[in-house]
Amino acid sequence: MKLILSKCKENNFSEVSRILNENDYIQIGDSRIEPQNNLELFLFFESHEKEQVDWLSELLHFFNVSEEVYEEHNILDDTLHQYNAVIILKTPNNLYAHSLSQGFRVLEKFIDEEFGLKFAEKTIKNEHITLKNVSYIQKNKMKGITNYKKDQGEFPKASESYAYVSGKPDFDFYGNSIDCGTGVSFPKNFDISSTEGFYQLSELLKNVDEALTLKDNKSILPRKKRLAKKSQLSGLLDEEVIERIVNNTNEIGIALDVSKIHLVNNSINIYSENNHLELYVSNHLNETKEELEPYDGSILEYIRKYNERITSLTDIKIRVTNHEYHVIESRPLKEWIYCELEYKNMLYTLDSGFWGYFNDKFSELLRKQLEEINRVIEYNDEFNISYSSGEGRLKGEGGYIEKLSENKNYIKLHQRNINYNGVPIEIADVYKKDTKELIAIKRGMDTSNSMYSFEQSILSLQLLRNTTEFDVEEELSKYNDRKVYADKEKFPNIQKPTIGKILDSRISSVLWLQSKTKYVKMTEEKTFDFNQIGSVLLKLKIVDWYSSVLENNFTPKIYMGQDHQVNKKSQS
């Protein structure tokens, strides 16, 4: 028996037995005891009828396969059964579980979902992690699986939330490598029918018990702390997501995507593009069933379309079908999507059906990363200029850009859009000639607008790293054509040598104009601290921008300035 070990939330055999019984798992046979380590095992069993495989019966009938061939190849046309089992392992200190077949589906009702990563922290050093599955919070990546070379694992980074790791434990009796997610998978195959094999299993469980009592950790993994599915807060978050989607609120606070990487039975599943996804509302299958593309936009449209039937995320189901539209599985949509929600000054994420918030290690890494970004902040009175805002090219930051561009040291690039996979992107708002830097200009601390601006800056890096593929020089030059772009004030001429210098720039700067009293004061005193920003989502997006700049071999720089828009009062 190869062990995939889960730990029960409570060390209460009667309660676990009750939950299993309620889900049609019945204890059968005798309990077995290993006397040297006092390990006791109990078997719970469940069976039910299941349908023949769809394709089998169809092909057998189509090709007129005879009953003689049925018998020859052991093809049974009788009723089939699904057999599932759960083994409960009771040590002197803890209660554990091991599932067989589909038994893992009942485990989530009574196991500690954090056990696997807690065990990893007690037994695996960061440098010995060989594989990790993480969620990236507020990055262009949603989830990722990284496989490291031997002894070259990385330390955790800000914005990473760990869901699964594999690596070499510091203690040989666990094996050469263990997999840790919601549970722990051990490599050794135990022959529990033999006295020696049963004893070796009991020795392993004794060492697991001891590891959980170790005072020091071998590693600390940033991760999410899960909320109980039926908790009041979890229900409120389910309802809040639907309300924000339906009302299409401008308060960003939410990011939703379809995840194709799932952690199932302590292993990683990746769903194929060949599968079809269908959405429907519980108790309204026929009226609401629709096939959808696996993108957030299609889900949002679906929720708005059927909002009168939907009050919570739990009302929506998803079916996975194969290329012949046979149902592979049906699950709540909540278990399929990945969502980030800022609610009452806390950031919650929804992953694999569970809402959660981040542990202290995640917060510590984010704080340290923002402290590092604080060091690239500069202050320059040259940017603290008065300007007027209005309509047309003076709208938003346009008025500021027009005024700044009166200084011949700046070349205006604002609204010279380049197509990036169907999205119009500016490579910057202005180019500063003496320092050879590209500057994107942002106004205020509004979460939605600020996050959008940083996202645009990240995409502009991709353009600048791939100028040939996106014809960036030609795209910038086309705005010199007065037959097409007659407004010379909006699109001033930029000569080819200057465009070459712009594309050679490797300094990516952000000029952030502040108007709220709190941030103006920090700017005046030259003590701006990104850790003082209230929105966690915005903090993470700043980290994403900073990391992207460095990864693309640019130099990051942030100027903090004061927003002196004419006739605009400071905000408190």
Side-chain angles (χ1 to χ4, degrees):
M1 180 177 76
K2 278 198 169 185
L3 192 63
I4 302 177
L5 191 67
S6 298
K7 183 177 179 294
C8 301
K9 291 178 185 174
E10 300 179 14
N11 193 17
N12 185 331
F13 178 78
S14 297
E15 176 62 14
V16 171
S17 178
R18 181 190 66 78
I19 295 171
L20 286 166
N21 291 164
E22 286 181 351
N23 289 274
D24 300 323
Y25 283 78
I26 307 300
Q27 185 180 349
I28 60 174
D30 300 324
S31 63
R32 299 294 303 272
I33 298 176
E34 198 294 309
Q36 295 190 57
N37 290 309
N38 198 18
L39 171 66
E40 192 169 5
L41 269 59
F42 307 86
L43 176 62
F44 288 80
F45 183 79
E46 184 272 340
S47 67
H48 59 269
E49 291 184 7
K50 69 175 184 179
E51 297 179 357
Q52 277 273 9
V53 180
D54 290 333
W55 62 264
L56 178 61
S57 57
E58 180 183 4
L59 293 182
L60 293 176
H61 287 98
F62 179 80
F63 289 101
N64 298 317
V65 179
S66 66
E67 291 188 5
E68 291 80 7
V69 176
Y70 276 41
E71 294 176 5
E72 180 183 351
H73 293 280
N74 297 314
I75 301 173
L76 300 177
D77 209 13
D78 300 330
T79 302
L80 299 179
H81 285 84
Q82 172 73 43
Y83 302 113
N84 306 312
V86 172
I87 297 174
I88 299 299
L89 305 93
K90 185 178 181 182
T91 72
N93 300 309
N94 290 298
L95 208 59
Y96 300 95
H98 168 73
S99 64
L100 298 100
S101 191
Q102 297 294 304
F104 67 89
R105 299 191 183 279
V106 75
L107 293 190
E108 72 170 34
K109 298 180 183 295
F110 58 83
I111 64 170
D112 176 4
E113 300 277 356
E114 292 192 43
F115 163 64
L117 291 179
K118 287 178 181 175
F119 188 79
E121 289 180 325
K122 297 291 184 183
T123 57
I124 307 176
K125 293 178 180 176
N126 283 109
E127 59 267 31
H128 293 157
I129 291 175
T130 56
L131 185 145
K132 70 177 182 182
N133 169 218
V134 300
S135 297
Y136 297 97
I137 316 303
Q138 273 305 305
K139 289 181 73 71
N140 59 345
K141 296 175 283 188
M142 181 167 37
K143 291 187 177 184
I145 302 169
T146 306
N147 195 181
Y148 295 104
K149 295 178 181 178
K150 183 179 178 182
D151 297 329
Q152 294 186 34
E154 291 182 309
F155 284 85
K157 300 175 181 177
S159 79
E160 287 185 343
S161 175
Y162 280 60
Y164 176 98
V165 297
S166 180
K168 184 180 186 304
D170 257 22
F171 310 100
D172 292 337
F173 40 77
Y174 295 129
N176 290 327
S177 181
I178 57 175
D179 302 331
C180 305
T182 54
V184 183
S185 300
F186 297 95
K188 183 175 176 60
N189 195 350
F190 295 95
D191 179 12
I192 57 174
S193 61
S194 70
T195 302
E196 178 61 22
F198 195 11
Y199 168 72
Q200 289 175 354
L201 177 64
S202 72
E203 278 288 297
L204 176 72
L205 268 293
K206 182 182 77 170
N207 283 295
V208 171
D209 274 352
E210 291 175 356
L212 295 177
T213 64
L214 293 174
K215 183 178 179 180
D216 297 323
N217 289 344
K218 300 293 181 183
S219 58
I220 300 178
L221 306 177
R223 65 182 184 278
K224 185 173 73 172
K225 292 189 174 182
R226 288 185 170 183
L227 300 175
K229 277 188 177 180
K230 295 185 178 180
S231 69
Q232 183 181 9
L233 179 54
S234 184
L236 287 172
L237 295 173
D238 287 343
E239 294 170 4
E240 183 71 15
V241 168
I242 298 299
E243 182 179 344
R244 294 195 192 185
I245 291 172
V246 170
N247 294 334
N248 197 20
T249 175
N250 289 326
E251 290 297 322
I252 183 79
I254 179 172
L256 183 148
D257 284 284
V258 177
S259 174
K260 292 191 176 180
I261 300 176
H262 298 268
L263 192 60
V264 180
N265 194 24
N266 204 52
S267 60
I268 298 171
N269 283 357
I270 302 177
Y271 284 83
S272 168
E273 292 281 359
N274 295 323
N275 294 333
H276 301 277
L277 303 179
E278 296 176 341
L279 278 186
Y280 66 95
V281 180
S282 295
N283 302 320
H284 301 282
L285 172 63
N286 293 332
E287 312 98 287
T288 62
K289 183 183 73 172
E290 291 189 12
E291 185 174 348
L292 82 156
E293 294 296 321
Y295 307 109
D296 58 333
S298 58
I299 295 177
L300 298 181
E301 290 173 11
Y302 181 90
I303 291 173
R304 289 175 185 135
K305 180 177 180 179
Y306 295 103
N307 75 85
E308 292 183 0
R309 300 177 187 267
I310 300 168
T311 58
S312 169
L313 272 179
T314 54
D315 295 335
I316 312 169
K317 308 294 183 186
I318 194 165
R319 298 200 307 187
V320 186
T321 62
N322 61 17
H323 66 285
E324 295 178 332
Y325 288 91
H326 295 139
V327 177
I328 300 172
E329 64 174 312
S330 180
R331 293 161 60 185
L333 175 68
K334 184 177 175 180
E335 295 182 7
W336 193 270
I337 60 175
Y338 175 80
C339 181
E340 297 169 9
L341 176 68
E342 196 162 25
Y343 179 71
K344 293 186 177 179
N345 297 320
M346 281 281 290
L347 179 63
Y348 297 93
T349 64
L350 174 65
D351 194 5
S352 302
F354 287 89
W355 285 104
Y357 57 95
F358 296 106
N359 65 354
D360 291 341
K361 181 63 175 177
F362 182 94
S363 301
E364 178 191 347
L365 287 171
L366 177 58
R367 178 182 58 78
K368 288 182 176 179
Q369 182 71 85
L370 290 171
E371 287 175 354
E372 179 181 326
I373 299 173
N374 284 340
R375 292 198 285 269
V376 304
I377 295 176
E378 295 186 14
Y379 306 88
N380 189 335
D381 289 337
E382 182 179 325
F383 295 122
N384 299 331
I385 57 177
S386 298
Y387 68 98
S388 297
S389 191
E391 294 302 318
R393 70 173 187 269
L394 300 181
K395 188 176 181 180
E397 69 273 12
Y400 178 89
I401 294 168
E402 291 293 327
K403 187 66 176 179
L404 184 66
S405 299
E406 291 176 6
N407 184 328
K408 300 305 180 184
N409 191 36
Y410 295 92
I411 296 175
K412 186 172 70 169
L413 298 171
H414 184 53
Q415 295 186 336
R416 292 177 96 101
N417 294 325
I418 298 170
N419 186 289
Y420 178 85
N421 296 330
V423 179
I425 301 295
E426 299 172 341
I427 62 168
D429 286 311
V430 295
Y431 172 71
K432 194 167 185 280
K433 292 191 284 188
D434 60 345
T435 54
K436 299 180 181 178
E437 60 187 300
L438 293 163
I439 303 177
I441 297 168
K442 312 178 192 311
R443 295 170 51 205
M445 296 298 289
D446 175 75
T447 299
S448 176
N449 290 333
S450 296
M451 288 178 62
Y452 175 78
S453 296
F454 274 106
E455 191 63 46
Q456 290 271 308
S457 295
I458 292 169
L459 292 176
S460 73
L461 293 170
Q462 300 303 314
L463 294 175
L464 292 165
R465 288 288 292 169
N466 300 278
T467 55
T468 302
E469 291 84 344
F470 290 100
D471 296 322
V472 178
E473 182 177 342
E474 182 178 336
E475 287 290 303
L476 290 177
S477 298
K478 74 181 182 183
Y479 292 94
N480 294 333
D481 185 349
R482 295 296 158 229
K483 294 179 181 179
V484 181
Y485 303 97
D487 191 342
K488 191 174 181 180
E489 295 297 321
K490 185 176 181 179
F491 302 114
N493 284 330
I494 305 177
Q495 299 302 316
K496 186 173 182 178
T498 303
I499 290 177
K501 291 178 181 179
I502 290 170
L503 300 185
D504 287 339
S505 173
R506 286 298 175 264
I507 302 176
S508 179
S509 301
V510 171
L511 167 56
W512 207 338
L513 301 174
Q514 303 299 336
S515 58
K516 287 189 176 182
T517 302
K518 171 183 175 181
Y519 302 118
V520 169
K521 186 173 185 293
M522 285 195 289
T523 301
E524 288 176 338
E525 296 174 352
K526 300 183 179 180
T527 58
F528 202 97
D529 181 2
F530 284 120
N531 278 300
Q532 299 301 311
I533 294 175
S535 170
V536 182
L537 282 175
L538 181 52
K539 288 178 180 178
L540 287 162
K541 182 52 69 178
I542 293 168
V543 169
D544 186 18
W545 168 82
Y546 181 75
S547 301
S548 297
V549 172
L550 294 177
E551 287 169 4
N552 284 283
N553 296 317
F554 281 69
T555 299
K557 189 185 293 186
I558 298 176
Y559 294 105
M560 283 299 170
Q562 299 171 40
D563 190 347
H564 291 318
Q565 180 182 338
V566 173
N567 298 326
K568 181 179 180 182
K569 295 180 180 179
S570 294
Q571 303 172 23
S572 57

